[in-house]
Coordinates of all heavy atoms in Angstrom, one line a residue:
L1034 N -3.9 63.9 68.8 CA -2.9 63.4 69.7 C -2.0 62.4 69.0 O -0.8 62.4 69.2 CB -3.5 62.7 70.9 CG -4.1 63.7 71.9 CD1 -4.9 62.9 73.0 CD2 -3.1 64.5 72.6
A1035 N -2.6 61.5 68.1 CA -1.8 60.6 67.4 C -0.8 61.2 66.4 O 0.4 60.8 66.3 CB -2.7 59.6 66.6
E1036 N -1.3 62.3 65.7 CA -0.4 63.0 64.8 C 0.7 63.7 65.5 O 1.9 63.7 65.1 CB -1.2 64.0 64.0 CG -2.2 63.4 63.0 CD -3.1 64.4 62.4 OE1 -3.4 65.4 63.0 OE2 -3.6 64.1 61.3
S1037 N 0.4 64.3 66.7 CA 1.4 65.0 67.5 C 2.4 64.0 68.0 O 3.6 64.3 68.1 CB 0.7 65.7 68.7 OG -0.2 66.7 68.2
N1038 N 2.0 62.8 68.4 CA 2.9 61.8 68.9 C 3.8 61.3 67.8 O 5.0 61.2 68.0 CB 2.1 60.6 69.5 CG 3.0 59.6 70.2 OD1 3.8 60.0 71.0 ND2 2.8 58.3 69.8
D1039 N 3.3 61.1 66.6 CA 4.1 60.7 65.5 C 5.1 61.8 65.1 O 6.3 61.5 64.8 CB 3.2 60.4 64.2 CG 2.4 59.2 64.4 OD1 2.7 58.3 65.3 OD2 1.4 59.0 63.6
F1040 N 4.7 63.1 65.2 CA 5.5 64.2 64.9 C 6.7 64.2 65.9 O 7.9 64.3 65.5 CB 4.8 65.5 64.9 CG 5.6 66.7 64.6 CD1 6.0 67.0 63.4 CD2 6.0 67.5 65.7 CE1 6.8 68.1 63.1 CE2 6.8 68.6 65.5 CZ 7.2 68.9 64.2
L1041 N 6.4 64.2 67.2 CA 7.4 64.2 68.2 C 8.4 63.0 68.1 O 9.6 63.2 68.2 CB 6.8 64.3 69.6 CG 7.7 64.4 70.7 CD1 8.6 65.6 70.6 CD2 7.0 64.4 72.1
N1042 N 7.8 61.8 67.8 CA 8.7 60.7 67.6 C 9.6 60.9 66.5 O 10.8 60.5 66.5 CB 7.9 59.4 67.5 CG 7.3 58.9 68.8 OD1 7.8 59.2 69.9 ND2 6.2 58.2 68.7
S1043 N 9.1 61.4 65.4 CA 10.0 61.7 64.2 C 11.1 62.6 64.5 O 12.2 62.4 64.1 CB 9.1 62.2 63.1 OG 8.2 61.3 62.6
V1044 N 10.8 63.7 65.2 CA 11.8 64.7 65.6 C 12.9 64.0 66.5 O 14.1 64.2 66.3 CB 11.2 65.9 66.3 CG1 12.3 66.8 66.9 CG2 10.3 66.7 65.3
L1045 N 12.4 63.3 67.5 CA 13.4 62.6 68.4 C 14.2 61.6 67.6 O 15.4 61.4 67.9 CB 12.6 62.0 69.6 CG 11.9 63.0 70.5 CD1 11.1 62.2 71.6 CD2 12.9 64.0 71.1
D1046 N 13.6 60.9 66.7 CA 14.4 59.9 65.9 C 15.4 60.6 65.1 O 16.6 60.1 65.0 CB 13.4 59.1 64.9 CG 12.6 58.1 65.7 OD1 12.9 57.7 66.8 OD2 11.6 57.6 65.1
I1047 N 15.1 61.7 64.5 CA 16.1 62.5 63.7 C 17.2 63.0 64.6 O 18.4 62.8 64.2 CB 15.4 63.7 63.0 CG1 14.5 63.2 61.9 CG2 16.4 64.6 62.4 CD1 13.5 64.3 61.3
V1048 N 16.9 63.5 65.8 CA 18.0 63.9 66.7 C 18.8 62.7 67.1 O 20.1 62.8 67.1 CB 17.4 64.6 67.9 CG1 18.4 64.9 69.0 CG2 16.7 65.9 67.5
S1049 N 18.2 61.6 67.4 CA 19.0 60.4 67.8 C 19.9 59.9 66.7 O 21.0 59.5 66.9 CB 18.0 59.3 68.3 OG 17.3 59.7 69.4
D1050 N 19.3 59.8 65.5 CA 20.1 59.3 64.4 C 21.3 60.2 64.1 O 22.4 59.8 63.8 CB 19.2 59.2 63.1 CG 18.2 58.1 63.2 OD1 18.4 57.2 64.1 OD2 17.2 58.1 62.4
T1051 N 21.1 61.5 64.2 CA 22.2 62.5 64.0 C 23.2 62.3 65.0 O 24.4 62.3 64.7 CB 21.6 63.9 64.0 OG1 20.6 64.1 63.0 CG2 22.7 64.9 63.7
L1052 N 22.9 62.1 66.3 CA 23.9 61.9 67.3 C 24.6 60.6 67.2 O 25.8 60.5 67.4 CB 23.2 62.0 68.7 CG 22.7 63.4 69.1 CD1 21.8 63.3 70.4 CD2 23.8 64.4 69.3
R1053 N 23.9 59.6 66.7 CA 24.6 58.3 66.4 C 25.7 58.4 65.4 O 26.6 57.7 65.4 CB 23.6 57.2 66.0 CG 22.9 56.6 67.1 CD 22.1 55.4 66.7 NE 21.1 55.1 67.7 CZ 19.8 55.5 67.7 NH1 19.3 56.2 66.7 NH2 19.0 55.2 68.7
K1054 N 25.5 59.4 64.4 CA 26.5 59.6 63.4 C 27.6 60.5 63.9 O 28.4 61.0 63.1 CB 25.8 60.3 62.2 CG 24.8 59.4 61.5 CD 24.1 60.2 60.4 CE 23.0 59.5 59.8 NZ 22.2 60.3 58.8
K1055 N 27.6 60.8 65.2 CA 28.6 61.7 65.9 C 28.5 63.1 65.4 O 29.6 63.8 65.3 CB 30.0 61.1 65.7 CG 30.1 59.7 66.4 CD 31.4 59.1 66.2 CE 31.4 57.7 66.7 NZ 32.5 56.9 66.4
E1056 N 27.4 63.6 65.0 CA 27.2 64.9 64.6 C 26.4 65.7 65.7 O 25.5 65.1 66.4 CB 26.4 65.0 63.3 CG 27.1 64.4 62.1 CD 26.2 64.3 60.9 OE1 25.2 65.1 60.8 OE2 26.5 63.5 60.0
D1057 N 26.7 66.9 65.9 CA 26.0 67.7 66.9 C 24.7 68.2 66.3 O 24.5 68.4 65.1 CB 26.9 68.9 67.3 CG 28.1 68.5 68.0 OD1 28.2 67.4 68.5 OD2 29.1 69.3 68.1
V1058 N 23.7 68.5 67.2 CA 22.4 69.1 66.8 C 22.3 70.4 67.5 O 22.3 70.5 68.8 CB 21.3 68.1 67.3 CG1 19.9 68.7 66.9 CG2 21.4 66.7 66.6
F1059 N 22.1 71.5 66.7 CA 21.9 72.8 67.3 C 20.5 73.3 66.9 O 20.2 73.4 65.8 CB 23.0 73.8 66.7 CG 24.4 73.4 67.0 CD1 25.2 72.7 66.0 CD2 25.0 73.7 68.2 CE1 26.5 72.4 66.3 CE2 26.3 73.3 68.5 CZ 27.0 72.6 67.5
L1060 N 19.8 73.7 67.9 CA 18.4 74.2 67.8 C 18.4 75.6 68.3 O 18.4 75.8 69.5 CB 17.4 73.3 68.5 CG 17.4 71.9 68.1 CD1 16.5 71.1 69.0 CD2 17.0 71.7 66.7
R1061 N 18.5 76.6 67.4 CA 18.6 78.0 67.7 C 17.5 78.4 68.6 O 16.3 78.1 68.4 CB 18.6 78.9 66.5 CG 18.9 80.3 66.8 CD 19.1 81.1 65.5 NE 20.1 80.6 64.6 CZ 21.4 80.9 64.7 NH1 21.8 81.7 65.6 NH2 22.2 80.4 63.8
G1062 N 17.8 79.0 69.7 CA 16.8 79.5 70.7 C 16.4 78.4 71.7 O 15.6 78.7 72.6
F1063 N 16.9 77.2 71.6 CA 16.6 76.1 72.5 C 17.9 75.6 73.2 O 18.0 75.7 74.4 CB 15.8 75.0 71.8 CG 15.5 73.9 72.7 CD1 14.5 74.1 73.7 CD2 16.1 72.7 72.5 CE1 14.1 73.0 74.5 CE2 15.7 71.6 73.4 CZ 14.7 71.8 74.3
G1064 N 18.8 75.0 72.4 CA 20.0 74.5 72.9 C 20.7 73.6 71.9 O 20.3 73.5 70.7

């Protein structure tokens, strides 16, 4: 659970940082 939580937080941080740079995030098959 701890590793999964760290992994999810890392993914969300990457998405947030990318959006702060005013770049779009495209995840094929998701949105």
Side-chain angles (χ1 to χ4, degrees):
L1034 286 175
E1036 290 170 335
S1037 296
N1038 188 50
D1039 290 344
F1040 177 78
L1041 182 59
N1042 284 335
S1043 296
V1044 170
L1045 295 176
D1046 286 344
I1047 291 168
V1048 171
S1049 296
D1050 291 344
T1051 303
L1052 291 170
R1053 277 190 199 95
K1054 294 177 190 173
K1055 299 178 184 167
E1056 298 174 17
D1057 295 339
V1058 178
F1059 299 101
L1060 303 172
R1061 188 175 304 274
F1063 181 69

